[in-house]
């Protein structure tokens, strides 16, 4: 049972050491927090990025959990920008636990310190080393104003954690020694360490696999152990770690009348996972906002219309787009929040940044679009909204009156169960009036069904002022009490959040809930004119947030993206992202691009900060089975079957037969694409897909900075797709493992058996475990033939043609390759038995050959304590005796004049005599290759003792602080 952690408190410390300081800014200044005093700081003596550090010594060993940096009363160029933190029980052995940055503002910043290693063991700390890497001002002395440390100091707890940590270190060292001994074939000391320490190097089945494969060459038993390892779930962790591949299928189901939801973008979807139902509401079809309500039955592959127009229903929402819906698994209720409707965007406004106020020679006028409700011509302008209009500047155009409008954030619930199933409930006329978010669009909403709490993040505020961008913050809504709570403000400079780190507000982003850790992952989207590529984690329990990536593109993730969609799988600890509009961060381009090929990603968060992988298509998927790239689409995830469902969206011009993808600044969650080009060409803004064409020249032939063709039109979609993520199954893992084993078996057969027998084994047994559709495997399989053609050991000096003439004829055919080509249809009967005996050497752990003395001069004594060189015996002889007694035995046989051969015509000696140093290494390499399929906790430790030695000499140890 785990020891409960005591309460944390502020830790006392002293300055142990530091690099030289500048002037009066001594290290002791950081002990007190005086933000009003400019001199209350430590400053390094060197300007720029020279290596500097300050070392803190805690009053007593502690479990360090947090570090807080105080700041000056106003931004300062000497403020630390980037830094690292190291901890350790001694100042000579320290480990990096934090690499982060500070903002150049007045707010103190707190960071969590890693205090649990990858094996889940808590480690204590006595020394803390802070290494500032840069200051906010170029060529300024870097300064630290104040440092506060927080952690656990209760002596009984810290002593227990220290004891556990030391035991972990001792065990880890011995396991590395055992691994080293076994790899070098020092089996006698290996066995002695195990017997005296009682330490297990690995799962017993892995030990048996090494015994069968490496020591005995018992191939059949090794393959049988693979099945036992599979049954024990030793391969599960590897399967989870494999990058998934996408298999797409378009779903063509309709309702009873043969209808499906019309083409749209910016709609909302949510899923009832228990009944496998997908609910869809509203959106924008290129001309108007929609208010139809549908449900799709996955099991039956059928759509059903719940309402042609919810406006006509009691307490139901009206037409809208860029809203969000979530499904409550516990109650069966659907919650709907947010809106952008036709009336919200028709108020006359001044164009925002990047928009021409009136047509010019550089931006030809677009023919006015007639709005049915007002009958007045307007010009579509480049905007991040779904659709934004400004009054036409053409003479004689009537201007609408500037009528005041109230923007209320309505909140609805739709009930799918019980006696009120099928009815809407109007929860709130305006959530802002009760402490909730204002009217916004392109926000994100998730639900913690266990706690019955909704979380709403970001979104652009709808207030009629399109010239200024305002954003909503992070809110929670408790269903049981019908209460809203502000968690983080929508203005990063405003107060109201107890969190030390405020997530910059945004819209068109993604947010998913990790239900086990109670964390929200928030990333991507747009703020002002910037597409974002940052990722933040908000911890619900502690009401604190941290930044995982300031730029995930630089860490191997997607480009900055807007209206991407994301779903989460808590079992696999993965987030699946389906990109929308992107910008190339590497080129610094402001062009918005809808790429001509799908851009889907996996983010795996089982380790911090996490890893990014692009989702590839499964090899069995043809090009016609893949959906068009799109944005403003919607995605839901069915976790039990690991299936993603994607519907609708805007394909730009891709849906019109244009091969390359174009750019444009998207309109809201629906995102009408307006054309973007390179800096030298400024095309006219694009009207909606069903508007009259532009009177001026189009930009269809222009190229974006990413080299992708700009598009003149939008195409909204009505297609529904299912994506299933495939990983290698257990059977596939076993097959790959057998391929590794049989390759080595064939290699040894080429040295010990007649060539035809080895060839038959290659055609039958090896071929049966090869994925011939995999180019890499197929090439590896073909290359195995070189072992038959390679020079044979001295034991078998006959040339290949002569050896073939001594045996049965080779298979008919024009070439070796023609023989291999028939391998797929060959028999699966197993051949090529092991040459190793199951007798005296079976299962023993020894460095000696049968018949030799069990212990000679200088070897392990009765207690197994140490190897000692006998008097008069040189060091080189001692090492040879330890490292390779089998090879020495073979040399002795060669010295007798028989060349290591038997007197008969057999190829080479059978049994343990054939386990030369080279063969032991070959089998060990195969064994290590098989270990990649095994869970980390079940196998020998990762790494090598040799890695601990510096390149400069054998006496050095790697500096962990480097």
């Amino acid at each position: 049972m785990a020891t409960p952690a005591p309460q944390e408190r502020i830790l006392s410390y002293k300055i142990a050491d530091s690099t030289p300081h500048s002037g009066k800014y001594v290290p002791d200044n950081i002990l007190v927090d005086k933000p009003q005093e400019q001199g209350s700081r430590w400053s390094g003596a060197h300007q720029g990025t020279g290596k500097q550090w300050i070392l803190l010594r805690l009053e007593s060993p502690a479990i360090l959990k947090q570090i807080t940096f105080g700041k000056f009363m106003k931004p300062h160029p000497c403020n630390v920008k980037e830094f690292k933190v190291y901890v350790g029980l001694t100042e000579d052995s320290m480990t990096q636990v934090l690499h982060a940055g500070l903002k150049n503002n007045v707010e103190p910043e707190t960071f969590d310190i890693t205090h649990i290693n990858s094996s889940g063991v808590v480690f204590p700390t006595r020394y803390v080393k802070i290494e500032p890497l840069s200051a906010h001002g170029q060529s300024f002395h870097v300064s630290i104003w104040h440092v506060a440390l927080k952690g656990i100091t209760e002596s009984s707890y810290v002593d227990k954690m220290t004891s556990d940590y030391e035991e972990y270190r001792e065990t880890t060292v011995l396991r590395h020694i055992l691994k080293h001994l076994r790899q070098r074939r020092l089996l006698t000391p290996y066995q002695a360490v195990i017997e005296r320490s009682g330490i297990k190097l690995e799962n017993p089945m892995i030990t048996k696999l090494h015994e069968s494969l490496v020591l005995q060459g018992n191939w059949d038993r090794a393959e049988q152990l693979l099945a036992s390892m599979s049954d024990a779930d030793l391969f599960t962790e590897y399967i989870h770690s494999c990058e998934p591949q996408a298999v797409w299928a378009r779903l063509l189901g309709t309702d009873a009348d043969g209808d499906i939801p019309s083409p749209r973008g910016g709609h909302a979807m949510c899923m009832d996972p228990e009944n496998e139902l997908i609910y869809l509401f509203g959106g924008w079809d290129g001309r108007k906002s929609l208010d139809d309500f549908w449900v799709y039955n996955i099991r039956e592959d059928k759509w059903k219309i719940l309402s042609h127009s919810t406006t006509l229903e009691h307490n139901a929402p009206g037409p809208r787009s860029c809203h969000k819906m979530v499904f409550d698994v516990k109650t069966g209720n659907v919650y709907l929040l947010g809106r952008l409707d036709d009336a919200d965007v028709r108020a006359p406004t001044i164009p925002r940044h990047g928009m021409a106020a009136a047509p010019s020679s550089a931006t030809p006028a677009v023919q006015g679009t007639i709005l049915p409700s007002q009958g007045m011509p307007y010009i579509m302008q480049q905007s991040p909204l779904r659709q934004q209009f400004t009054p036409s500047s053409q003479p004689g155009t009537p201007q609408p009156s500037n009528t005041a409008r109230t923007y209320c954030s309505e909140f609805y619930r739709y009930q799918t169960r019980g006696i009120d199933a099928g009815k809407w409930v109007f929860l709130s006329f305006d959530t802002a009036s009760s402490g909730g978010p204002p009217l916004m669009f392109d926000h994100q909403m998730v639900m913690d069904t266990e706690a019955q709490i909704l979380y709403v993040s970001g979104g652009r505020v709808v207030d009629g002022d399109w010239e200024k961008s305002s954003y909503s913050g992070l809110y929670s809504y408790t269903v049981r009490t019908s209460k809203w709570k502000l968690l983080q403000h929508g203005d990063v400079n405003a107060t109201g959040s107890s969190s030390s780190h405020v997530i910059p507000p945004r819209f068109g982003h993604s947010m998913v809930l990790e239900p086990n850790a109670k964390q929200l992952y928030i990333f991507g989207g747009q703020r002002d004119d910037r597409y974002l590529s940052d990722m933040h984690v908000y911890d619900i329990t502690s009401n604190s947030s941290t930044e995982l990536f300031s730029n995930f593109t630089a860490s191997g993730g997607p480009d900055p993206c807007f209206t991407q969609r994301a779903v989460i799988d808590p079992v696999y600890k993965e987030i699946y992202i389906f990109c929308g509009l992107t910008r190339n961060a590497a080129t610094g381009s402001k062009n918005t691009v809808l790429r001509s090929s799908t851009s889907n990603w996996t983010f795996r968060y089982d380790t911090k900060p996490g890893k990014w992988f692009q989702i590839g298509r499964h090899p069995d998927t043809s090009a016609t089975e893949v959906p068009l790239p799109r944005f403003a689409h919607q995605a839901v995830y069915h976790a039990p079957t690991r299936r993603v469902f994607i519907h609708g969206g805007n394909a730009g011009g891709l849906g019109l037969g244009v091969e390359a993808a174009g750019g444009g600044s998207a309109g809201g969650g629906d995102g009408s694409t307006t054309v973007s080009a390179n800096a030298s060409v400024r095309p006219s803004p694009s009207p909606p897909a069903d508007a009259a064409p532009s009177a001026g020249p189009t930009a269809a032939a222009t190229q974006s900075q990413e080299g992708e063709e700009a598009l003149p039109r939008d195409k909204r979609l009505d297609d529904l797709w299912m994506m299933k993520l495939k990983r290698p199954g257990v059977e596939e893992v076993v097959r790959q493992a057998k391929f590794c084993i049989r390759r080595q078996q064939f290699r040894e057969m080429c040295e010990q058996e007649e060539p035809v027998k080895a060839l038959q084994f290659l055609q039958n047994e090896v071929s049966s475990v090869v994925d011939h559709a995999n180019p890499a495997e197929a090439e590896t399989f073909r290359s195995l033939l070189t072992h038959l053609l390679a020079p044979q050991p001295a034991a078998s000096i006959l040339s290949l043609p002569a050896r073939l003439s001594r045996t049965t004829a080779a298979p008919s055919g024009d070439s070796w390759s023609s023989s291999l080509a028939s391998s797929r249809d060959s028999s699966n009967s197993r051949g090529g038995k092991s040459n190793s005996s199951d007798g005296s050497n079976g299962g023993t752990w020894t460095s000696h050959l049968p018949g030799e003395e069990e212990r000679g001069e200088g070897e392990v004594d009765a207690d197994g304590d140490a190897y000692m060189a006998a008097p008069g015996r040189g060091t080189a002889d001692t090492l040879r005796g330890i490292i390779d007694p089998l090879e020495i035995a073979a040399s002795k046989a060669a010295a007798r004049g028989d060349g290591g051969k038997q007197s008969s015509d057999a190829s080479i000696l059978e049994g343990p005599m054939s386990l030369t140093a080279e063969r032991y290494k070959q089998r060990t390499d195969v064994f290590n290759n098989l270990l990649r399929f095994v869970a980390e906790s079940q196998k020998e430790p990762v790494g090598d003792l040799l890695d601990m030695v510096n390149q400069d000499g054998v006496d050095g140890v790697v500096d962990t602080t480097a």
Side-chain angles (χ1 to χ4, degrees), residues 760 762-765 767-768 822-829:
Q760 290 174 342
L762 179 67
Q763 291 177 310
N764 298 337
E765 307 308 324
S767 178
S768 66
S822 63
S823 61
R824 298 186 191 182
D825 299 324
S826 62
S827 167
N828 287 329
S829 60

Side-chain angles (χ1 to χ4, degrees), residues 379-585:
I379 294 177
M380 280 285 293
Q381 296 291 345
Q382 185 173 336
S383 164
L385 302 179
R386 175 208 66 201
Q387 172 188 358
Q388 181 175 326
F389 298 98
T390 57
S392 170
S393 61
Q394 299 177 5
T397 300
Q399 303 297 319
S401 60
N402 192 6
T403 305
R405 172 175 169 79
T406 302
Y407 297 93
C408 296
S409 176
E410 305 151 357
F411 190 28
Y412 298 90
R413 183 177 70 212
Y414 179 78
Q415 301 177 154
T416 67
R417 302 176 189 169
I419 58 175
D420 292 326
K423 294 182 180 179
W424 288 93
V425 178
F426 197 9
L427 296 175
S428 176
F429 176 73
D430 183 18
T431 55
S433 63
S434 55
L439 178 61
M440 73 288 191
F441 66 93
D442 276 348
H443 50 294
Q444 283 297 318
M445 184 164 66
V446 297
M447 184 165 192
D448 183 348
T449 56
E450 181 182 354
Q452 286 290 285
I453 298 178
L454 282 165
Y455 295 93
V456 182
S457 164
R460 183 166 175 185
V461 175
V462 180
D463 55 9
D465 184 2
W466 299 114
E467 184 178 4
K468 179 182 178 182
S469 300
S470 298
Y471 305 97
S472 181
L474 178 63
Y475 292 84
S476 66
Y477 174 79
T478 304
V479 173
R480 295 186 182 94
T481 61
S482 302
K483 298 292 185 182
W484 286 98
K485 181 181 179 181
L486 174 64
L487 303 176
Q488 290 197 355
H489 205 281
D491 183 353
V492 293
N493 297 317
T495 59
S497 171
S498 61
S499 172
S500 58
H501 167 71
V502 177
I503 301 172
R506 63 200 63 208
F507 74 117
H509 56 295
S510 293
M511 178 174 72
V512 293
L513 169 68
E514 214 301 335
N516 301 319
K518 300 297 182 183
Q519 293 177 331
L520 301 173
Y521 285 79
I522 299 172
F523 56 96
Q526 179 174 346
R527 180 174 175 82
D528 299 328
D529 62 345
R530 295 182 297 111
Y531 280 16
L532 306 175
S533 58
D534 56 345
M535 174 179 276
H536 306 261
V537 175
Y538 176 82
D539 187 84
I540 295 172
T541 304
S542 63
N543 186 28
S544 63
S545 57
T546 56
E547 183 180 72
L548 289 183
F549 298 96
S550 59
N551 180 4
F552 50 63
T553 306
S555 299
D559 286 335
C561 194
F562 177 72
T563 69
Q564 77 278 353
R565 305 306 181 204
V567 296
I568 188 170
D569 189 317
V571 175
Y572 280 79
K573 297 185 183 300
E574 290 176 340
I575 299 172
Y576 308 117
I577 298 100
F578 305 90
C579 289
L581 295 170
T582 62
R583 286 179 181 163
N584 192 318

Side-chain angles (χ1 to χ4, degrees), residues 228-422:
S228 301
M229 294 162 61
S230 172
D231 293 339
D233 293 329
L234 298 190
F235 301 144
T236 302
E237 185 176 301
Y238 168 79
I239 293 173
H240 284 191
S241 69
C242 292
E243 298 177 25
Q245 294 179 319
V247 177
W248 291 95
R250 183 168 182 178
L251 304 176
L252 302 175
T254 66
D255 68 1
D257 297 325
D259 296 329
I260 60 174
S262 60
R264 66 193 67 204
H267 48 301
M269 292 200 320
C270 63
M271 170 173 280
D272 175 355
E274 182 179 343
N275 297 303
E276 297 189 42
L277 301 173
I278 300 174
Y279 292 90
L280 181 153
F281 178 78
W284 168 261
D285 67 0
R287 295 176 298 175
K288 64 181 184 302
S289 295
L290 306 173
D291 64 344
D292 51 345
F293 192 27
W294 295 77
V295 64
Y296 174 77
N297 190 309
I298 298 173
R299 297 169 185 166
E300 300 177 0
D301 187 25
K302 288 184 179 179
W303 283 100
K304 179 181 178 181
I305 182 72
L306 299 176
S307 176
H308 290 283
S309 175
T310 54
T311 305
L312 304 178
E313 296 186 21
H314 182 62
N315 288 334
R320 64 193 60 219
S321 65
C322 312
H323 51 293
K324 291 294 175 286
M325 295 194 309
V326 294
F327 186 85
D328 181 5
V329 177
K330 194 172 278 189
T331 64
N333 291 330
V334 176
Y335 292 89
L336 184 150
L337 180 66
R339 183 192 73 227
L340 187 66
D341 65 22
D342 300 340
D344 293 330
V345 295
R346 286 176 180 167
T349 63
I350 299 173
R352 285 184 66 243
H353 52 80
M355 294 182 280
S360 67
S361 59
T363 55
V366 181
Q367 182 171 328
T369 301
I370 304 299
L371 300 181
S373 60
Q374 294 179 323
M376 300 177 184
Y378 285 76
I379 294 177
M380 280 285 293
Q381 296 291 345
Q382 185 173 336
S383 164
L385 302 179
R386 175 208 66 201
Q387 172 188 358
Q388 181 175 326
F389 298 98
T390 57
S392 170
S393 61
Q394 299 177 5
T397 300
Q399 303 297 319
S401 60
N402 192 6
T403 305
R405 172 175 169 79
T406 302
Y407 297 93
C408 296
S409 176
E410 305 151 357
F411 190 28
Y412 298 90
R413 183 177 70 212
Y414 179 78
Q415 301 177 154
T416 67
R417 302 176 189 169
I419 58 175
D420 292 326

Side-chain angles (χ1 to χ4, degrees), residues 684-877:
S684 61
S686 172
D690 49 4
S694 169
T698 66
T702 61
Q703 298 291 319
S704 72
Q705 289 184 7
E706 286 78 8
E708 301 188 26
E709 188 175 332
L711 297 175
R713 299 181 65 188
D714 296 338
K715 175 63 177 179
R716 287 167 184 83
L717 306 170
D718 61 358
D719 49 350
L720 177 64
W721 292 83
M722 178 182 71
M723 186 191 78
K724 192 172 181 69
L725 291 168
K726 281 195 171 183
R727 283 181 169 85
V730 172
E731 299 80 6
E732 172 64 13
V733 173
V734 171
R735 181 197 66 78
Q736 292 184 35
K738 287 182 177 180
F739 184 32
C740 293
I741 293 173
R742 295 185 189 183
R743 288 206 311 265
Q744 178 62 25
Q745 184 177 355
F746 169 74
R747 187 175 182 176
E748 296 187 18
M749 289 182 69
C750 291
E751 300 174 4
Q752 296 177 274
E753 303 284 352
E754 299 298 343
V756 170
K757 186 175 182 181
L759 179 61
Q760 290 174 342
F761 180 80
L762 179 67
Q763 291 177 310
N764 298 337
E765 307 308 324
V766 181
S767 178
S768 66
V769 292
V770 175
D771 180 3
H772 294 278
N774 185 318
E777 280 198 22
E779 177 60 28
T780 300
F781 174 67
R782 290 191 294 269
S783 68
L784 291 175
L785 188 60
T786 59
H787 293 297
L788 276 174
L789 305 177
Q792 299 302 309
S796 182
I797 59 177
L798 291 175
S799 65
L800 181 61
R803 293 173 67 202
L804 288 173
S805 65
R806 295 177 60 250
T807 58
T808 56
S812 60
D814 297 332
S815 64
W816 288 101
S817 59
S818 64
S819 299
L820 292 176
S822 63
S823 61
R824 298 186 191 182
D825 299 324
S826 62
S827 167
N828 287 329
S829 60
R830 189 71 200 273
K833 298 299 181 182
S834 167
N835 292 310
S836 297
S837 170
D838 288 330
S840 61
N841 194 45
T844 59
W845 301 70
T846 178
S847 299
H848 307 280
L849 290 173
E852 287 190 329
E853 292 182 7
E854 285 297 314
R855 183 168 53 87
E857 290 183 343
E859 295 185 18
V860 176
D861 61 19
D863 295 326
D865 284 336
Y867 273 90
M868 297 294 292
R873 188 174 181 182
T875 303
D877 291 335

Side-chain angles (χ1 to χ4, degrees), residues 80-222:
V80 174
K81 182 179 181 181
E82 185 182 4
F83 66 92
K84 292 181 179 179
V85 176
Y86 304 85
V87 301
L89 285 171
T90 66
E91 55 186 295
D92 298 324
S93 178
M94 307 192 78
T95 303
Q96 180 181 316
V97 291
L98 180 64
H99 182 183
L102 293 173
K103 296 179 175 62
N104 192 17
N105 57 21
V106 302
E107 298 294 331
E109 293 187 54
T110 299
F111 300 87
D112 291 331
I113 293 292
T114 301
H115 61 283
I116 301 176
N117 65 17
S118 58
S119 299
V121 179
V122 177
F123 54 86
T125 297
R126 186 67 187 271
Y127 290 88
V128 180
K129 185 177 184 180
I130 304 172
E131 182 182 330
L133 303 178
S134 63
H136 278 277
Q138 188 175 4
S139 299
F140 278 83
H141 293 268
V142 64
S143 296
I144 297 177
W145 300 81
H146 174 62
V147 172
L149 304 175
K150 191 176 182 180
I152 300 172
T153 59
E154 185 177 305
S155 59
S156 60
Y157 180 82
V158 174
D159 290 346
K160 175 66 167 58
M161 295 300 103
T162 302
S163 175
D164 291 347
Y165 181 62
E166 289 301 326
E167 182 180 349
Y168 161 79
R169 294 178 64 197
E170 185 75 20
T171 301
T172 301
V173 168
L174 285 175
R175 291 181 68 226
H176 274 283
I177 292 173
L178 287 171
K179 175 183 176 180
H180 184 83
L181 293 173
R182 186 168 70 179
Q183 285 184 337
R184 272 66 184 173
R185 205 167 53 157
L186 301 173
L187 303 180
T188 301
Y190 168 87
Q191 184 67 19
V193 172
I194 288 181
E195 291 175 352
R196 295 197 61 178
S197 67
I199 292 176
K200 291 183 178 180
L201 174 63
E202 60 211 352
N203 186 292
M205 280 185 283
I206 306 299
T207 303
K208 291 179 181 178
L209 179 66
H210 183 272
E211 177 185 329
S212 302
L213 177 63
V214 180
L215 300 182
Q216 299 175 355
N218 190 335
W219 315 110
D220 289 336
R221 183 167 181 251

